[in-house]
Amino acid sequence: MSQAFDIDSVVLDIEGTTSATGFVVDVLYPYSRSRFGALLSERSGDPEVARAVAQVRQEIGEPDADNVRIEKALNAWLDEDRKATPLKTLQGVIWSEGFARGDLVSHFYDDVLPALRAWHAAGVRLHVYSSGSVAAQRAWFRSSPEGDLLPLVEGLYDTENAGPKQEAASYRTIAEALDLAATPDRILFLSDRPGELDAAREAGWHAVGIRRPGEPYYEQGVGDHAQAGTFDGITITRSTA
Ligand SMILES: CSCCC(=O)C(=O)COP(=O)(O)O
Ligand SMILES: [Mg+2]
């Protein structure tokens, strides 16, 4: 079904929405898993690594956990696809370097880049809100199969600078950052996960569930939210009146 919106900003989820979960799980996850050990042993002095390690220790309730125990916890979270903030921070460090080195190139569904370019050309502001860290998001958009897409994107939000994706307060934080706290209905959120769509709607945003065959949430659906199978079915304009 086709959807039309006259809004100011689109906020994009990545995994399952712009991009395939299979790529994240089959390519990015093993890439990070095989590098956690070296990161923990060789880079423990990096402030970002140290901060994430402290968060892991706190989350597992073991203030003295050594690197072996930290790596075990990270791998267990990977196995259960738990989107824990310190896991995402450390993955972001590893993936950013992998993208910069040319080991990794990001994935976008075929309908996504034409739509993002059209919406951007129409003056619509584009932002990202993903469980993947801001560093990972930046590398992801910079290293696409069609080159650097970062110029299309204005704001990057994750569970650290905005909060958990299933809580309305996180969407209110983002609306404030976009200068749209008083008019949250000028924001459209696109995601595959019903809990995220619920939270965005509770914050006053428009929300459309993206249902792509083969994605984990395809069968479950998106509850009573508007839905689209691809970005082709979503028309967005931004009137300034
Ligand atoms: C470039 S982000 C990598 C994907 C990832 O790790 C992730 O957790 C994405 O989750 P999302 O919130 O975008 O569904
Ligand atoms: Mg998602």
Side-chain angles (χ1 to χ4, degrees), residues 99-110:
F99 281 113
R101 214 181 284 125
D103 289 353
L104 300 169
V105 175
S106 60
H107 169 270
F108 289 87
Y109 282 110
D110 287 346

Side-chain angles (χ1 to χ4, degrees), residues 3 20 25 84 87-88 110 142 148 183-184 207 214 220 226 236 238:
Q3 317 276 341
V25 171
L87 168 66
K88 294 293 159 188
D110 287 346
R142 188 173 277 155
D148 185 2
T183 53
Q220 178 183 333
I236 303 180
R238 179 180 173 214

Side-chain angles (χ1 to χ4, degrees), residues 81-236:
D81 197 11
R82 186 160 149 212
K83 297 187 182 287
T85 297
L87 168 66
K88 294 293 159 188
T89 301
L90 295 173
Q91 286 179 316
V93 172
I94 290 168
W95 293 336
S96 304
E97 293 172 1
F99 281 113
R101 214 181 284 125
D103 289 353
L104 300 169
V105 175
S106 60
H107 169 270
F108 289 87
Y109 282 110
D110 287 346
D111 53 287
V112 170
L113 299 188
L116 297 189
R117 290 197 174 100
W119 298 341
H120 184 260
V124 178
R125 300 162 67 202
L126 305 180
H127 318 272
V128 178
Y129 181 27
S130 170
S131 304
S133 70
V134 164
Q137 296 171 28
R138 192 174 290 118
W140 183 264
F141 276 81
R142 188 173 277 155
S143 301
S144 90
E146 297 188 17
D148 185 2
L149 302 175
L150 261 189
L152 296 179
V153 179
E154 188 181 310
L156 303 173
Y157 301 92
D158 63 12
T159 56
E160 204 147 37
N161 67 7
K165 290 187 77 183
Q166 308 213 1
E167 290 182 12
S170 307
Y171 297 81
R172 293 195 185 99
T173 297
I174 295 173
E176 199 139 323
L178 304 188
D179 222 6
L180 294 170
T183 53
D185 62 344
R186 298 284 289 156
I187 311 173
L188 169 65
F189 182 52
L190 304 179
S191 175
D192 59 325
R193 295 207 182 199
E196 297 176 6
L197 297 163
D198 290 346
R201 179 167 61 189
E202 193 184 327
W205 296 21
H206 292 283
V208 171
I210 304 299
R211 291 186 67 200
R212 298 181 182 277
E215 285 292 339
Y217 284 84
Y218 176 72
E219 296 296 342
Q220 178 183 333
V222 292
D224 62 351
H225 292 280
Q227 58 179 282
T230 68
F231 284 14
D232 294 336
I234 307 172
T235 303
I236 303 180

